[in-house]
Coordinates of all heavy atoms in Angstrom, one line a residue:
L1232 N 189.6 -75.5 2.5 CA 191.0 -75.6 2.4 C 191.4 -76.1 1.0 O 192.4 -75.6 0.4 CB 191.6 -76.5 3.5 CG 191.7 -75.9 4.8 CD1 191.9 -77.0 5.9 CD2 192.8 -74.8 4.9
V1233 N 190.7 -77.0 0.4 CA 191.0 -77.5 -0.9 C 190.9 -76.4 -1.9 O 191.7 -76.2 -2.8 CB 190.1 -78.7 -1.3 CG1 190.1 -79.0 -2.8 CG2 190.4 -79.9 -0.5
D1234 N 189.8 -75.5 -1.7 CA 189.7 -74.3 -2.6 C 190.8 -73.4 -2.5 O 191.3 -72.8 -3.4 CB 188.4 -73.6 -2.3 CG 187.1 -74.3 -2.7 OD1 187.2 -75.3 -3.6 OD2 186.0 -74.0 -2.3
M1235 N 191.3 -73.2 -1.2 CA 192.5 -72.4 -1.0 C 193.7 -72.9 -1.7 O 194.5 -72.2 -2.3 CB 192.8 -72.2 0.5 CG 191.8 -71.3 1.2 SD 192.2 -71.1 3.0 CE 190.9 -70.1 3.6
F1236 N 194.0 -74.2 -1.6 CA 195.1 -74.9 -2.3 C 195.0 -74.6 -3.8 O 196.0 -74.2 -4.4 CB 195.1 -76.4 -2.0 CG 195.7 -76.8 -0.8 CD1 195.3 -76.4 0.5 CD2 196.8 -77.7 -0.8 CE1 195.9 -76.8 1.6 CE2 197.3 -78.2 0.4 CZ 196.9 -77.7 1.6
D1237 N 193.8 -74.7 -4.3 CA 193.6 -74.5 -5.8 C 193.9 -73.1 -6.1 O 194.6 -72.8 -7.1 CB 192.2 -74.9 -6.1 CG 191.9 -74.8 -7.6 OD1 192.7 -75.3 -8.4 OD2 190.9 -74.1 -8.0
A1238 N 193.4 -72.1 -5.3 CA 193.6 -70.7 -5.6 C 195.1 -70.3 -5.6 O 195.5 -69.4 -6.3 CB 192.8 -69.9 -4.6
L1239 N 195.8 -71.1 -4.7 CA 197.3 -70.8 -4.6 C 198.1 -71.6 -5.6 O 199.3 -71.4 -5.7 CB 197.7 -71.2 -3.2 CG 197.1 -70.3 -2.1 CD1 197.4 -70.9 -0.7 CD2 197.7 -68.9 -2.2
G1240 N 197.4 -72.4 -6.5 CA 198.2 -73.1 -7.5 C 198.8 -74.4 -7.1 O 199.6 -75.0 -7.7
F1241 N 198.3 -74.9 -5.9 CA 198.8 -76.2 -5.4 C 197.8 -77.3 -5.8 O 196.6 -77.1 -6.0 CB 198.9 -76.2 -3.9 CG 200.1 -75.5 -3.4 CD1 200.1 -74.1 -3.3 CD2 201.3 -76.2 -3.2 CE1 201.3 -73.4 -2.9 CE2 202.5 -75.5 -2.8 CZ 202.4 -74.1 -2.6
P1242 N 198.3 -78.5 -6.0 CA 197.4 -79.6 -6.3 C 196.4 -79.9 -5.2 O 196.6 -79.6 -4.1 CB 198.3 -80.8 -6.6 CG 199.5 -80.5 -5.7 CD 199.6 -79.0 -5.7
Q1243 N 195.3 -80.6 -5.6 CA 194.4 -81.0 -4.5 C 195.1 -82.0 -3.6 O 195.8 -82.9 -4.0 CB 193.2 -81.8 -5.2 CG 192.2 -82.2 -4.2 CD 190.9 -82.7 -4.8 OE1 190.5 -82.3 -5.9 NE2 190.2 -83.5 -4.1
P1244 N 195.0 -81.7 -2.3 CA 195.7 -82.5 -1.3 C 195.0 -83.9 -1.1 O 193.8 -84.1 -1.4 CB 195.5 -81.7 0.0 CG 194.3 -80.9 -0.2 CD 194.2 -80.6 -1.6
E1245 N 195.8 -84.8 -0.6 CA 195.3 -86.1 -0.1 C 194.5 -85.7 1.1 O 195.0 -85.0 1.9 CB 196.4 -87.1 0.2 CG 197.4 -87.4 -0.9 CD 196.8 -88.5 -1.8 OE1 196.0 -89.3 -1.4 OE2 197.3 -88.5 -3.0
Q1246 N 193.3 -86.3 1.3 CA 192.5 -85.9 2.4 C 192.1 -87.1 3.3 O 191.9 -88.2 2.8 CB 191.2 -85.3 1.9 CG 191.4 -84.0 1.2 CD 190.1 -83.4 0.8 OE1 189.3 -83.0 1.7 NE2 189.9 -83.3 -0.5
A1247 N 192.2 -86.9 4.6 CA 191.8 -87.8 5.6 C 191.0 -87.2 6.7 O 191.2 -86.0 7.0 CB 193.1 -88.4 6.3
T1248 N 190.0 -87.9 7.3 CA 189.2 -87.4 8.3 C 189.4 -88.0 9.7 O 188.8 -87.6 10.7 CB 187.7 -87.5 8.0 OG1 187.4 -88.9 7.8 CG2 187.3 -86.8 6.7
S1249 N 190.4 -89.0 9.7 CA 190.7 -89.6 11.0 C 192.2 -90.0 11.0 O 192.8 -90.0 10.0 CB 189.8 -90.9 11.1 OG 190.3 -91.9 10.1
N1250 N 192.6 -90.4 12.2 CA 194.0 -90.9 12.3 C 194.2 -92.1 11.4 O 195.3 -92.2 10.7 CB 194.3 -91.2 13.8 CG 194.6 -90.0 14.6 OD1 195.1 -89.0 14.2 ND2 194.2 -90.1 15.9
Q1251 N 193.3 -93.0 11.4 CA 193.4 -94.2 10.7 C 193.6 -93.9 9.2 O 194.5 -94.5 8.5 CB 192.2 -95.2 10.9 CG 192.3 -96.5 10.2 CD 191.1 -97.4 10.4 OE1 190.3 -97.1 11.3 NE2 191.1 -98.5 9.7
E1252 N 192.7 -93.1 8.6 CA 192.8 -92.7 7.2 C 194.2 -92.0 6.9 O 194.8 -92.3 5.9 CB 191.7 -91.8 6.8 CG 190.4 -92.5 6.7 CD 189.2 -91.5 6.4 OE1 189.5 -90.3 6.1 OE2 188.1 -91.9 6.4
A1253 N 194.6 -91.1 7.8 CA 195.8 -90.3 7.6 C 197.0 -91.3 7.6 O 197.9 -91.1 6.8 CB 195.9 -89.2 8.6
L1254 N 197.0 -92.2 8.6 CA 198.2 -93.1 8.7 C 198.3 -94.0 7.5 O 199.4 -94.3 7.0 CB 198.1 -93.9 10.0 CG 198.3 -93.1 11.3 CD1 197.9 -93.9 12.5 CD2 199.7 -92.5 11.3
A1255 N 197.1 -94.4 6.9 CA 197.2 -95.2 5.7 C 197.8 -94.4 4.5 O 198.5 -94.9 3.7 CB 195.7 -95.7 5.3
I1256 N 197.4 -93.1 4.4 CA 198.0 -92.3 3.3 C 199.5 -92.1 3.5 O 200.2 -92.2 2.6 CB 197.2 -90.9 3.3 CG1 195.8 -91.1 2.8 CG2 197.9 -89.9 2.4 CD1 194.9 -89.9 3.0
I1257 N 199.9 -91.8 4.8 CA 201.3 -91.7 5.1 C 202.0 -92.9 4.7 O 203.1 -92.9 4.1 CB 201.5 -91.3 6.6 CG1 200.9 -89.9 6.9 CG2 203.0 -91.4 7.0 CD1 200.8 -89.6 8.4
G1258 N 201.5 -94.1 5.0 CA 202.1 -95.4 4.7 C 202.2 -95.7 3.2 O 202.9 -96.5 2.7
A1259 N 201.3 -95.0 2.4 CA 201.2 -95.3 1.0 C 202.3 -94.7 0.1 O 202.4 -95.1 -1.0 CB 199.8 -94.9 0.5
G1260 N 203.0 -93.7 0.7 CA 204.1 -93.1 -0.1 C 204.5 -91.8 0.4 O 203.9 -91.3 1.3
P1261 N 205.6 -91.2 -0.1 CA 206.1 -90.0 0.4 C 205.2 -88.8 0.3 O 204.4 -88.7 -0.7 CB 207.4 -89.8 -0.5 CG 207.5 -90.9 -1.4 CD 206.3 -91.8 -1.3
L1262 N 205.3 -87.9 1.2 CA 204.5 -86.7 1.3 C 205.5 -85.5 1.3 O 206.6 -85.6 1.8 CB 203.6 -86.7 2.5 CG 202.4 -87.7 2.5 CD1 201.9 -87.8 3.9 CD2 201.4 -87.3 1.5
D1263 N 205.0 -84.4 0.8 CA 205.8 -83.2 0.8 C 205.4 -82.2 1.9 O 206.2 -81.3 2.2 CB 205.7 -82.5 -0.6 CG 206.2 -83.3 -1.7 OD1 207.4 -83.7 -1.6 OD2 205.5 -83.7 -2.6
G1264 N 204.3 -82.4 2.5 CA 203.8 -81.6 3.6 C 202.5 -82.0 4.1 O 201.8 -82.8 3.4

Side-chain angles (χ1 to χ4, degrees):
L1232 285 166
V1233 168
D1234 287 346
M1235 287 182 182
F1236 276 57
D1237 184 52
L1239 294 168
F1241 283 86
Q1243 182 168 333
E1245 302 277 339
Q1246 294 183 65
T1248 59
S1249 68
N1250 283 326
Q1251 182 178 352
E1252 289 177 5
L1254 293 171
I1256 292 169
I1257 292 167
L1262 292 164
D1263 296 299

